[in-house]
Amino acid sequence: MAGGAFVSAGTGKEYPGKITLYVFLTCIVAACGGLIFGYDIGISGGVTAMTPFLQKFFPKVYRQEIGAESANQYCKFDSVPLTLFTSSLYLAALVASFFASAVTKIFGRKVSMFVGGIVFLGGAAINGAAQNVAMLIIGRIMLGIGVGFSNQSVPLYLSEMAPYKFRGALNICFQLMITIGILCANLVNYGTDKIKSGQGWRVSLGLAGVPALIITVGALFLPDTPNSIIGRKQPELARKHLQRIRGPVNIDEEFNDLVAANDESKMVENPWRNLLQRRYRPHLCMAILIPFFQQLTGINVVMFYAPVLFKTIGFGNNASLMSAVITGLVNVFATFAAIFIVDKKGRRFLFLEGGCQMFIFQVLVGVLIWIKFGTDGIADIPKAYAILVVFCICMFVAGFAWSWGPLGWLVPSEIFPLEIRSAAQSINVSVNMLFTFIIAQVFLSMLCHMKFGLFFFFGGFVFIMTLFVYFFIPETKGIPIEEMSQVWKQHWYWGKFIPEDGHVQMAKPAKTVT
């Protein structure tokens, strides 16, 4: 089928069960793992725009900012130590995700969340009390370990707990919490920047402990997923949990399919090596390309460095922080839109619409900065012109927030078969963190050298990834997670990699396990 179209009715499976209050509350608590990731994304750019923070830790950047060394707006924040402060977290998360894969598979999803919350809590304490750059980096590394564990476990947890018809909406709660974390961080930065003692940055960094505490305590009370419990050879407990999650309906067919999938997964001795098999080629490609493209949208240019970016293009300090708050609000509300649309219109619709919207407005931002700053990077921006720039950036953020933002986590978490799920999710997280690290590390230097062309650079990737979605990403809405192999078998390209008998033999509806 050209363009990767897929008719969801083809699987013939419809498990009963709606969103119960129990599963809704459970998923909301689990999704709070996204708060720690989002808070960090928002907080780092804000504190690096605070004068007392720069004076204490990065005095060279402070001299550049006030124009003592250069008047070029593009290069005001070009500093390797400064970007290392931001990006070290994502390198640590990359490494941690591989350890998190084993923990998630052996001990369960909730244990992985708990470990992530504890380590993140320690990192927040060290950063809040930092006296030198070394303490900042150590704290950031601990934060990265926490992010690696939570990003590995939370999307899987949500996809496994949710009824398949509502999997998209519940999984996107993770991205929603990321956006709320970013917004909270922007609001905190805006408030702490006004603290007269100059210690506001300590408050901003230390308050990362609040979302860490939420997920740490929450993980203690969360039930584990039936998939994970079956994997630990406790089928009766898994049945009991599944019944509670789905409510007063017949769960026999779904439970038997979970057991069959688990039995099949035990035949796989090495999931990492098996990922290289031909039958898993679609899954491996998606585990690599989706997070790669997600980071090459250029969203981190806005979300990591929003205050720095706005300051760079001529906004005052308070104005730059307020502009970051505005983009944070847009991010949250657009993610809410995705929650209501994703299980109705589907993943492909959001991918394609969001991609077109991001491309248009990212190019417009580049043109607007080009017109005003040219190549020398010296200009003043009138208020009306600045508002236009902020509007275009907000439209770009909205496009990301209801497409590549949530879907970059949702689609990988729902397409992997159980036998490779933890390993594949680990690759997904590690690739995401690798390119988040690279973008965070080189962005300010790229802005200095490529100037307005940087926005065209990312816009080109948005164009490419939109074409990739059109041709190679099939529709996955409304498909039970253990039936997902049918999606790939019916795809015009990926179908040739999937054996005729599939790779998981599902239980027959009439059979029950007692």
Side-chain angles (χ1 to χ4, degrees):
M1 301 179 192
F6 178 75
V7 181
S8 62
T11 66
K13 292 269 186 167
E14 290 192 12
Y15 302 136
K18 297 182 179 180
I19 298 180
T20 62
L21 179 62
Y22 177 73
V23 77
F24 175 76
L25 293 177
T26 296
C27 287
I28 291 298
V29 172
C32 286
L35 285 175
I36 64 175
F37 189 27
Y39 187 87
D40 179 80
I41 291 174
I43 214 70
S44 55
V47 296
T48 53
M50 294 181 184
T51 297
F53 180 82
L54 293 177
Q55 288 175 323
K56 181 174 179 63
F57 296 106
F58 306 100
K60 181 180 178 181
V61 177
Y62 172 70
R63 291 194 298 272
Q64 290 175 181
E65 184 195 358
I66 62 176
E69 296 187 5
S70 172
N72 190 327
Q73 296 275 17
Y74 290 122
C75 300
K76 286 167 62 173
F77 291 90
D78 183 20
S79 166
V80 173
L82 179 63
T83 51
L84 185 61
F85 161 71
T86 298
S87 61
S88 56
L89 180 149
Y90 305 101
L91 190 60
L94 187 160
V95 176
S97 66
F98 290 102
F99 294 97
S101 172
V103 172
T104 302
K105 183 177 178 63
I106 297 171
F107 299 104
R109 285 55 167 150
K110 61 176 288 183
V111 171
S112 189
M113 291 183 221
F114 179 78
V115 172
I118 286 290
V119 179
F120 197 94
L121 197 58
I126 293 174
N127 269 354
Q131 298 298 321
N132 50 54
V133 174
M135 285 186 71
L136 283 179
I137 300 300
I138 291 171
R140 295 286 291 177
I141 289 173
M142 292 184 68
L143 295 179
I145 294 172
V147 167
F149 272 82
S150 64
N151 285 10
Q152 165 73 18
S153 54
V154 173
L156 290 183
Y157 184 94
L158 296 174
S159 286
E160 291 178 350
M161 288 290 285
Y164 75 96
K165 290 182 179 179
F166 307 99
R167 188 174 60 242
L170 288 176
N171 191 286
I172 288 178
C173 288
F174 177 65
Q175 177 67 19
L176 177 64
M177 290 300 179
I178 292 177
T179 64
I180 291 175
I182 293 171
L183 176 60
C184 290
N186 290 334
L187 290 169
V188 167
N189 282 334
Y190 184 74
T192 58
D193 186 54
K194 300 179 185 297
I195 295 177
K196 294 182 180 180
S197 66
Q199 299 296 302
W201 61 269
R202 290 192 186 277
V203 178
S204 291
L205 295 177
L207 283 177
V210 175
L213 195 60
I214 292 173
I215 189 59
T216 302
V217 175
L220 293 175
F221 297 96
L222 289 175
D224 222 331
T225 67
N227 312 61
S228 179
I229 297 171
I230 291 172
R232 298 200 300 276
K233 301 180 180 179
Q234 296 176 289
E236 288 307 315
L237 180 60
R239 175 186 279 278
K240 181 180 177 181
H241 275 273
L242 184 61
Q243 188 71 71
R244 188 177 184 189
I245 290 167
R246 298 293 179 254
V249 296
N250 189 331
I251 61 165
D252 286 347
E253 184 176 19
E254 182 176 5
F255 177 71
N256 290 327
D257 282 352
L258 291 177
V259 172
N262 180 71
D263 291 341
E264 183 75 12
S265 72
K266 289 179 179 177
M267 297 179 179
V268 179
E269 295 181 0
N270 191 326
W272 296 96
R273 186 166 58 240
N274 275 271
L275 265 172
L276 300 178
Q277 291 183 9
R278 179 181 173 85
R279 66 174 59 189
Y280 298 122
R281 194 69 48 80
H283 312 85
L284 181 61
C285 288
M286 295 303 158
I288 295 172
L289 291 176
I290 288 179
F292 168 76
F293 282 136
Q294 187 190 50
Q295 296 312 310
L296 268 294
T297 57
I299 188 63
N300 291 337
V301 171
V302 178
M303 305 319 297
F304 280 172
Y305 299 109
V308 172
L309 179 64
F310 287 123
K311 211 169 181 182
T312 294
I313 59 177
F315 289 56
N317 194 49
N318 281 341
S320 68
L321 290 171
M322 178 51 70
S323 297
V325 170
I326 293 171
T327 57
L329 282 168
V330 171
N331 200 12
V332 170
F333 285 111
T335 304
F336 268 114
I339 290 175
F340 290 105
I341 295 173
V342 68
D343 288 316
K344 295 179 181 178
K345 293 288 189 179
R347 284 62 161 155
R348 280 171 53 82
F349 171 82
L350 289 176
F351 264 135
L352 296 172
E353 192 285 331
C356 293
Q357 183 171 325
M358 284 191 293
F359 175 76
I360 291 169
F361 285 98
Q362 194 161 47
V363 170
L364 281 176
V365 170
V367 170
L368 290 171
I369 294 176
W370 179 15
I371 291 172
K372 212 65 185 171
F373 287 95
T375 56
D376 59 11
I378 301 174
D380 291 318
I381 298 184
K383 183 177 180 180
Y385 203 90
I387 291 173
L388 181 58
V389 173
V390 172
F391 172 78
C392 289
I393 288 178
C394 285
M395 292 301 295
F396 167 79
V397 169
F400 176 85
W402 58 51
S403 64
W404 278 92
L407 299 180
W409 295 107
L410 166 60
V411 174
S413 72
E414 68 183 1
I415 64 174
F416 303 137
L418 184 60
E419 63 267 26
I420 61 166
R421 191 168 296 160
S422 290
Q425 178 68 2
S426 181
I427 289 178
N428 178 56
V429 173
S430 61
V431 172
N432 191 298
M433 294 299 106
L434 173 63
F435 284 94
T436 303
F437 165 75
I438 292 172
I439 296 300
Q441 186 62 34
V442 305
F443 160 63
L444 293 176
S445 179
M446 289 174 71
L447 181 62
C448 181
H449 292 88
M450 296 178 68
K451 304 175 174 58
F452 59 84
L454 180 61
F455 296 93
F456 301 143
F457 170 81
F458 286 120
F461 273 101
V462 172
F463 180 78
I464 292 170
M465 68 182 68
T466 304
L467 289 178
F468 170 77
V469 168
Y470 182 79
F471 287 107
F472 295 107
I473 295 187
E475 183 56 71
T476 55
K477 82 175 178 78
I479 311 296
I481 197 168
E482 305 305 339
E483 288 266 302
M484 200 62 72
S485 62
Q486 299 296 321
V487 173
W488 305 105
K489 286 171 69 174
Q490 297 188 31
H491 189 270
W492 72 275
Y493 178 76
W494 300 118
K496 63 186 178 182
F497 295 98
I498 308 298
E500 283 302 314
D501 60 348
H503 54 270
V504 176
Q505 181 63 46
M506 292 301 173
K508 294 188 178 0
K511 181 181 177 181
T512 60
V513 175
T514 59

